[in-house]
Every structure is written in C-alpha cells, then in structure tokens.
Amino acid sequence: MTLEAVARGRGRRALRRRTVLTVLGVLVAALYAINLMFGKTFYPPDDIVRVILGERVPGATFTVGTLRLPRATLALLAGVCFGLGGVTFQTMLRNPLASPDIIGISSGASAAAAFAIVTLGLSESATSAFAIAAGLGVALIIYLLSFRDGVAGTRLVLIGIGMAAMLESATSYVLSTASQWDLQEVLRWLTGSLNGTTWGETVPVAIALLLLGPLLLSQGRNLFMLQLGDDMAAALGVRLELTRLLLIVAAVGLIAFATAACGPIAFVAFLAGPIAARIIGPGASLLVPSALVGALLVLVADFAGQYAFSIRYPVGVVTGVLGAPYLIYLLIRTNRAGGSL
Amino acid sequence: MTLSVKEPDVAVLRRPARVRLFWFVAALAVLGLAMLASVAFGSRIVGWSAIVDGVSGLTDTIDQAAVFKRVPRTVLAVIVGAALAVSGTVMQGVTRNPLADPGILGVNMGASLAVVVGMTVFGLTSAVNTIWVAILGAAFSAVFVYLIGSLGRGGATPLKLALAGTATSAALASLISAVILPRADVSELFRSWQIGGVGGGSWDNIRQAGPFLLAGFVISMLSARSLNSLALGDELAAGLGERVALVRGLSALGAVLLCGAATAVTGPIMFVGLVVPHVCRLLVGLDHRWLMPFSALLGASLLTVSDVVGRVVDRPSEIDVGIITALIGAPFFIYIVRRQKVREL
C-alpha cells in the first residue's frame, strides 16, 4: 500500500516534469518562430522555412536570413547558456544569490571581452578565449578570497559583489577610452544587447554549447547530489573535486562565450534557476528546465525591447528592469520568512 | 561592548588628544598637498610661479590658464569628497553597519535616476532644481533600501543591506538607461551619470550645491553626539535619554542631503563613503565628534588625489574619478568583508 503510494507519487511527479518540460519547449519554439516572423514586416512561416532551406525569397532572404535569424538564434543560445551557467553555480554553492552575474563572473568576462574588442580589436574567437580566461580567473580569485576556515556562502556573495563593482568600472574605463563613444556599444557591455548580431557572433556560442552543454548535462546527477552536502555526495560516490572542476569549467565557459557575443544580459543567469525551480517543483535536476527558462526570458525580452516601445531597447535593459524587482521580491520573501540568505 | 566596528584592535573610543591632534595636522597637510598637486598636474604640468599667478586669477600664459581652470575642479573634488565621506560615516553610524556607503546602498543611483527623469521628462534645466530632485531621489532610495534590508530576523545585517542596495542599484541603472536611451542628444549626460567625475566642475556648480552641502554638514555634526549613544544599541541609547527615532531620521537627513547634492553635481561616485570612515576610526577612534571632521578632511584628500591620479596615469586623456575610487575602494570592501566573522554578515 505505502509502496504503491510512493510509486504513484513518483509517477505523478515524473508526469508533471514531462508536461512542464514539453510546455516550456513548445513555448521556446513558438517564441523563436515569432521572433523570426514578426517585425516591421510580417513573413509567413513557409517563407521562413524556405529562407532557412537556402532558397532566395525577395525581401525575406535579407530581413529574415541576415537580420532576424542570427539574432533570434543567438537569443536562444545565449539564454540557454546563461540559464545553464546560472543554475549550476546556484546549485553547487547552495545559494540562489551565488549566480555568476551577481558574484562578478559575468562582469569579468564582459570586461575582458570589451577590452579585447574595443581596445585590442581582436576577432570573435580570440575574444571568447579572453573572456573565458577572465571568467575562470575571477571565479578562482573570488573562491580564494572567500576562503577562511572553509568557504562561507555569505562571504562569497559579498566578495563577489565587490568584485563586480570593480570589474564594472574597469569596463566603463575601457569603454571611455574607445575612440568613438557609442551609447549602444556601452550598454552592450554593461547590460547586454543583441543589436547588430551576425553569424560571426552566433557560431562560436553554438559550438561552445555543443561541446560544453553535454559535459554539463553529464554531471547533472552529481550536481543534484552535491545539493545534499559534500559528505553525503561523497558517500553516494561523487568524486567531489573532479565534479566541481568540470562543473565550474563548463559553466564559466558557457557564460563567457555567451557574454563575449552579446554582453552580460542582466539577471538572466540569476532568474532562470529560481523560476525553473518554482514551476517544476522539488526533487529533480534543474539544468534542462533552467536552460529553457533562460532561452524564454531572452527571447521574450528581446522581442519586447525591439517592438513594444517607440524606440528599440537593448535586451539587457528590459531584463534589468524586469529582473531587479524580482530580486527585490525574492529578498523580501526570504527576509519575511525569517530565513537568512 | 557593542561598537559600530567589530574590530578588537580599534575598539578605542577615543585616541589620546596628542595622537588625534597629530593625525589632524597630518591630514590637513595631506589635503594641502593634494590640492596643490591637483592644480599643478594634468595633461600639462605647471611650475610654482604659474600656480601662484593662476590661483590669483592671471590667465596670460597657457600654464596660468590651465591652473585657473583647475581651481574650481579642485574645490569641487574637495567638497564632494568631504560630503561623501561624512555621509558614509553617518550611514555607518545610523545603520551600525560596516558596509554602509552611499554607493553600495544604491542611494547615489536613486539621486541619479531622479535627476535624469527630472531633466528628460519634466524638462528641468536649472541646477538648483536638479539638486532638490536629486536629494528627493536619494531620500527615497535610502528609505526603500533600508526597509527591504531590515525585514526579517536579525534586522539590517550587512549582507541583506548590501544585497538590497545592489538589487536596487541594478534596477535604477536599468531605468536610467531606459529613460535616457530615446534621446541620443543626452548620451554625454548619461555618461556622467553612469561613471561620475569632477571634470565638469565650475564655480556655478559649487555655488548651487553649496547651501545644501553646508546644511548637510551642520546637521551631521549636530547629530555626532547622538550617534555615539546610538552605537551602544537602541535600548542603551534610549536609556541615555536619546530619542532614537528622531536621531535616526535627523542624521539620515544629513547624510542624504550630503550625498544627494554631491551626486547631483558629479554623478554617482562609489566607495569614498565606505573607505574613509574605516581608516579614520583606526586613526582617531570611534568618537563621532572627531570622526566626522576627520572623515571630511580625509575624504576630500582621497577624492582630490584620485582625481589627480586619473588625470596623470593616462595622459593626455583622463580617467573619471568614479573609476579610480572603485578600483581603490572595491579591494578595500573585500578586505572588510574578509575581516568580519561569518555570523556577523
């Protein structure tokens, strides 16, 4: 009887998880299609398909093929990268605030990318390498600085906030030395923007996701067990150091590649995990749901930023305006509940 | 004994008068040197005679003209630095929180957003109006951040306040870009609101912000004694005859006047208000009556020196002072966080 109840409960949860994932997947696909179809001019789905298949369609080949397709694709891929990277850090450090965009890892990657592109004039792939190195470096520095009789989550978060402040002003400095001070370019590196996306920026992110995504997903079970605490995880057969190293490299890599392409889109890495956790419920890996939520956030915000207002807002401004109130709400809720963050 | 800084080696209420006096004179000397450097160094380095002539108003040679133009900038750096440092001292005292700073608590960003909205939406042009608006914005965000940060168990812990400030800053920064983006013509304005600098300092600015800053200084100094009692905890302070809520409100008003008016002229400058009070406590002790004037001196020196550094390292172009203070202040912030015990965060 009780065994049956357990089995039933497990079945229900699995069903719910499958349903939620399907709905999220359909939503992401629908938004991707909407991003391709709608704009100043509307193109019907069969035009889009023909453009993707390589046929020449007057008008659509340029508007969809050159402008909308790389942009929507980067929005999708970057959202997945931020979602995966964010939830990995949040789960591994067991703290929803320890997402890469709050503790300065995104700011580090962004500062390095801005330096590589604006000051050194490097190519896309060299910029990505730069951003990765900086992201890993910042992660290492934060970890070392917060180490004192073990790493305490609160100390790590506060030190990360200090790092982020410093790196953001480094970005401001790099941008202020640029010969042409262009507001759109500045906002790209401070809050993230998809304006003027080409395949040259999209392809490296796609490759990074193909390589690092499976690596991260293969560690999904171990990541889930790390939540139970180090000792428990070790007892369950997780090789702690190796798992952590793989997780950090994969997550920082994803974040850095995406940041090098479109800047640190504000709050996506931070929001994707908690939102996914709320809709999917407890007791399962959050990697795939967070990736989908991340993609959804970026696609929605970019579409809204382009067409919902009289002027075009970069996607990061939209996610920033939406995301910060949620962070404040999260703070109020946890504070009310008496929990200490 | 509960003190505003939990560092046993500085738990000295007041250093001996001799020590205090020594540091006071030293700080004055440092400030004097900093001001001298500020009029002498820049994209063009001038000699002593040109400084004397330029300060007295002669603009015949290029050197003298350079000095003449650097004087208001120097004065602005001095008073803004002093204002931010005193504001930080008061905020740390009121919140009993070692990480309080107008920048970290998001108060500067509140002032910035208010000014940007006032200029673009309501078409404010006169500087005096902007200062009013900035102070209002600063007050709103200060109250907002403190309310969020003090919800729940343990009151306003450093972590909760810093997070509430960061979240609020991020939201306000996004709103600032949202307001200002449709207007390409004000992107230079945006730049100064994003970074913060004293490069545009003029006598006009100083005259307009002056009364507000003066009022802020006076209010802060008057509340110094009460802040000393407040450092002992609310109950003890009440036992000592302080009206705690009144003291809190009044000194917060002083702090907001100072950082709001300063931000209205320079844009947001972070970390001066964080670093200076900590250094001052080490040097003169915890008595706010000494701490505040000393913070003013040291803050003025810090901002002036940062401004000079920003002008010199990247000649002939300049680095805005807000960037320099962040590069100096953030490591200091990390250092303070590392010193605290985990349960105090």
Side-chain angles (χ1 to χ4, degrees):
Chain A
M1 174 65 194
T2 40
L3 209 62
E4 269 170 41
V6 169
R8 246 202 330 272
R10 192 175 278 170
R12 241 197 337 263
R13 275 200 300 277
L15 183 68
R16 173 178 169 163
R17 183 179 160 80
R18 270 199 300 279
T19 321
V20 169
L21 282 182
T22 316
V23 170
L24 277 177
V26 170
L27 273 178
V28 168
L31 267 156
Y32 184 65
I34 287 175
N35 267 299
L36 291 179
M37 287 192 291
F38 290 90
K40 276 230 170 65
T41 22
F42 169 79
Y43 292 101
D46 54 319
D47 275 5
I48 311 275
V49 174
R50 277 161 64 202
V51 169
I52 294 176
L53 291 177
E55 281 180 55
R56 290 200 63 79
V57 186
T61 297
F62 176 73
T63 314
V64 176
T66 314
L67 297 181
R68 290 189 198 159
L69 199 56
R71 181 180 188 134
T73 310
L74 182 58
L76 179 79
L77 295 176
V80 169
C81 288
F82 286 128
L84 283 176
V87 81
T88 303
F89 270 92
Q90 288 168 331
T91 316
M92 187 170 58
L93 297 169
R94 296 179 210 109
N95 188 337
L97 293 162
S99 88
D101 42 0
I102 291 186
I103 61 176
I105 293 171
S106 303
S107 322
S110 177
F115 180 68
I117 287 184
V118 175
T119 312
L120 303 178
L122 296 181
S123 68
E124 274 95 4
S125 48
T127 303
S128 303
F130 232 75
I132 281 212
L136 284 174
V138 170
L140 182 72
I141 292 173
I142 294 172
Y143 191 80
L144 289 180
L145 281 176
S146 47
F147 197 89
R148 210 182 77 171
D149 318 324
V151 171
T154 49
R155 197 188 293 130
L156 187 131
V157 172
L158 278 174
I159 286 178
I161 288 177
M163 272 313 253
M166 187 163 62
L167 290 163
E168 266 154 37
S169 56
T171 310
S172 301
Y173 167 62
V174 167
L175 295 167
S176 70
T177 60
S179 48
Q180 265 192 331
W181 199 83
D182 176 6
L183 187 58
Q184 291 286 347
E185 191 66 8
V186 169
L187 284 178
R188 175 168 159 194
W189 295 118
L190 286 179
T191 66
S193 163
L194 290 162
N195 290 346
T197 302
T198 60
W199 286 115
E201 282 139 9
T202 310
V203 171
V205 184
I207 296 173
L209 194 57
L210 278 179
L211 291 177
L212 297 172
L215 175 65
L216 198 59
L217 290 178
S218 74
Q219 298 296 316
R221 253 191 91 73
N222 291 344
L223 177 63
F224 184 59
M225 287 195 278
L226 273 182
Q227 265 184 310
L228 306 171
D230 286 357
D231 296 341
M232 185 71 106
L236 288 168
V238 179
R239 291 163 69 188
L240 290 176
E241 302 313 319
L242 181 70
T243 303
R244 268 207 204 102
L245 185 71
L246 286 177
L247 285 172
I248 290 177
V249 168
V252 171
L254 288 174
I255 295 276
F257 266 103
T259 306
C262 56
I265 300 180
F267 284 122
V268 173
F270 165 72
L271 287 178
I275 293 179
R278 285 208 107 181
I279 47 185
I280 204 127
S285 166
L286 287 174
L287 283 174
V288 177
S290 304
L292 290 174
V293 170
L296 206 58
L297 283 174
V298 178
L299 283 168
V300 170
D302 191 40
F303 194 73
Q306 284 190 83
Y307 305 115
F309 312 98
S310 53
I311 74 139
R312 294 179 164 220
Y313 284 111
V315 59
V317 172
V318 179
T319 55
V321 171
L322 294 177
Y326 187 78
L327 171 55
I328 291 169
Y329 162 76
L330 201 70
L331 286 173
I332 292 176
R333 215 175 46 128
T334 21
N335 287 356
R336 275 265 175 72
S340 60
L341 282 167
Chain B
M1 192 152 117
T2 318
L3 296 162
S4 50
V5 202
K6 286 135 185 153
E7 290 157 336
D9 49 333
V10 292
V12 185
L13 193 53
R14 216 185 290 159
R15 300 256 170 205
R18 200 162 29 86
V19 178
R20 272 177 288 152
L21 211 62
F22 168 76
W23 285 120
F24 223 84
V25 174
L28 265 178
V30 168
L31 180 59
L33 284 177
M35 290 172 74
L36 200 62
S38 175
V39 290
F41 296 137
S43 60
R44 162 184 292 273
I45 295 176
V46 303
W48 178 251
S49 62
I51 294 178
V52 176
D53 293 344
V55 171
S56 57
L58 276 176
T59 53
D60 298 334
T61 68
I62 301 179
D63 280 4
Q64 289 167 354
V67 171
F68 187 72
K69 286 206 71 171
R70 283 180 201 150
V71 172
R73 177 185 189 149
T74 305
V75 174
L76 186 65
V78 167
I79 56 179
V80 166
L84 290 174
V86 173
S87 174
T89 310
V90 175
M91 284 187 186
Q92 290 177 11
V94 171
T95 59
R96 281 198 294 268
N97 181 333
L99 297 182
D101 163 79
I104 292 167
L105 294 189
V107 179
N108 287 349
M109 275 294 172
S112 299
L113 176 65
V115 171
V116 168
V117 168
M119 281 177 161
T120 54
V121 180
F122 299 107
L124 288 186
T125 42
S126 100
V128 178
N129 288 340
T130 356
I131 291 174
W132 269 115
V133 171
I135 289 169
L136 269 180
F140 266 114
S141 52
V143 171
F144 181 72
V145 169
Y146 190 76
L147 280 183
I148 291 181
S150 57
L151 286 173
R153 194 173 49 193
T157 65
L159 179 71
K160 284 198 273 178
L161 267 188
L163 280 172
T166 313
T168 311
S169 285
L172 295 171
S174 299
L175 284 173
I176 292 176
S177 15
V179 170
I180 220 161
L181 259 180
R183 299 153 173 264
D185 49 319
V186 282
S187 77
E188 265 307 305
L189 178 76
F190 176 82
R191 182 188 164 144
S192 70
W193 289 114
Q194 191 76 31
I195 302 176
V198 293
S202 68
W203 290 116
D204 255 2
N205 286 341
I206 295 168
R207 249 195 306 280
Q208 276 140 0
F212 296 96
L213 293 175
L214 194 66
F217 275 122
V218 171
I219 294 178
S220 302
M221 276 311 293
L222 289 179
S223 59
R225 253 181 71 90
S226 313
L227 282 180
N228 283 345
S229 326
L230 219 57
L232 304 171
D234 284 2
E235 287 87 12
L236 254 177
L240 288 171
E242 296 289 352
R243 280 179 286 177
V244 174
L246 183 72
V247 170
R248 277 244 162 81
L250 206 62
S251 36
L253 175 70
V256 163
L257 276 175
L258 286 171
C259 74
T263 307
V265 213
T266 60
I269 295 179
M270 280 182 87
F271 290 116
V272 173
L274 174 86
V275 174
V276 171
H278 283 278
V279 176
C280 292
R281 276 191 213 105
L282 278 175
L283 297 180
V284 297
L286 300 170
D287 185 346
H288 280 89
R289 282 169 299 178
W290 278 84
L291 205 49
M292 275 194 221
F294 198 68
S295 291
L297 279 182
L298 225 58
S301 313
L302 177 65
L303 202 67
T304 314
V305 170
S306 301
D307 185 38
V308 175
V309 169
R311 271 183 271 162
V312 172
V313 289
D314 196 25
R315 278 196 302 169
S317 74
E318 293 185 359
I319 304 177
D320 283 305
V321 68
I323 292 176
I324 305 283
T325 55
L327 293 182
I328 301 172
F332 192 86
F333 176 86
I334 292 173
Y335 166 76
I336 298 172
V337 171
R338 269 181 67 78
R339 288 192 63 151
Q340 304 285 318
K341 294 208 184 67
V342 174
R343 63 182 164 73
E344 287 161 355
L345 288 177

